[in-house]
Amino acid sequence: MLLLLLLCVEAAALAVLETMFLPLRFDGTLLPKLSDWPFPITIAVAVVTTPLLVSWAASLSERVVTAALPLIVWFFTLMVFGYFEPGYASGSPVLLLQDWRGLLLLAGGALTGAVAVGAVMARNAANRPGLYETAGTQ
């Protein structure tokens, strides 16, 4: 139970960090000046880490809810810190941008995490051959 809680805290921390660093650009302030190109490295981080958290949670228990819990925590944390933006005071969104980067962050983390949950479900079905019927057999 403690390890699952730690995985959920990691998922929430990753969602916050991915949301905070999503607006990075090559504009000369933090990164070198390269004609203001966006640098959405956090999308790649979400694509890699979300399925890892799901697979680590799946190793703790055979239940699908246990495997999906880090993905659910990541998604809701992304929504709270990305769209509702605590401390939001200006007239335009700052953290989760209203362009292709925000959509790719959401899709990259959620879709790869959902594929990992599907893999857990398939593995559970394969380990219980009498419980599930395969498609096409009658």
Side-chain angles (χ1 to χ4, degrees), residues 2 4 7-8 10-12 38 48 59 67-69 74-75 106 108-109 112 116-117 119 128 131 138:
L2 183 65
L4 183 62
L7 286 175
C8 290
E10 286 179 22
V48 171
S59 68
L69 199 57
W74 179 87
F75 179 77
L106 180 62
T112 56
V117 171
R128 300 179 190 163
L131 224 57
Q138 297 176 353

Side-chain angles (χ1 to χ4, degrees), residues 74-119:
W74 179 87
F75 179 77
F76 283 117
T77 306
L78 189 77
M79 290 296 109
V80 168
F81 278 89
Y83 285 112
F84 298 136
E85 293 185 20
Y88 175 69
S90 63
S92 65
V94 177
L95 295 179
L96 196 58
L97 305 173
Q98 303 295 325
D99 64 353
W100 59 273
R101 291 177 284 177
L103 182 63
L104 275 181
L105 177 65
L106 180 62
L111 289 178
T112 56
V115 167
V117 171

Side-chain angles (χ1 to χ4, degrees), residues 10-81:
E10 286 179 22
L14 278 170
V16 169
L17 288 174
E18 290 161 359
T19 306
M20 296 294 253
F21 286 104
L22 187 63
L24 273 179
R25 303 183 73 82
F26 286 106
D27 58 358
T29 55
L30 185 61
L31 297 175
K33 178 91 169 143
L34 290 174
S35 68
D36 290 340
W37 284 354
F39 186 63
I41 191 67
T42 59
I43 296 170
V45 172
V47 166
V48 171
T49 57
T50 308
L52 275 175
L53 291 173
V54 168
S55 65
W56 290 339
S59 68
L60 298 175
S61 173
E62 291 183 2
R63 299 183 61 196
V64 177
V65 173
T66 303
L69 199 57
L71 175 63
I72 294 168
V73 168
W74 179 87
F75 179 77
F76 283 117
T77 306
L78 189 77
M79 290 296 109
V80 168
F81 278 89

